[in-house]
Amino acid sequence: MAIRSLVVGTLFVAVFVAIILSIAWIDKSQPTHEPSPLAPAPERPIPTPMP
């Protein structure tokens, strides 16, 4: 019966460490805020056709 407790405890610690490592693994160099896809595009001049 002590083996089951040891296995459950080990799995709990392993899951806890995996969660901590996954949080720390996030790449901080990427911007966390991206522009909304529904935001209006910045205005660009309309090209005039050549005569």
Side-chain angles (χ1 to χ4, degrees), residues 15-47:
V15 169
F16 186 74
V17 169
I19 291 172
I20 297 297
L21 288 178
S22 67
I23 292 173
W25 192 263
I26 295 174
D27 189 4
K28 302 290 188 196
S29 65
Q30 297 296 326
T32 56
H33 176 72
E34 296 182 4
S36 172
L38 298 177
E43 292 190 24
R44 298 186 321 203
I46 300 173

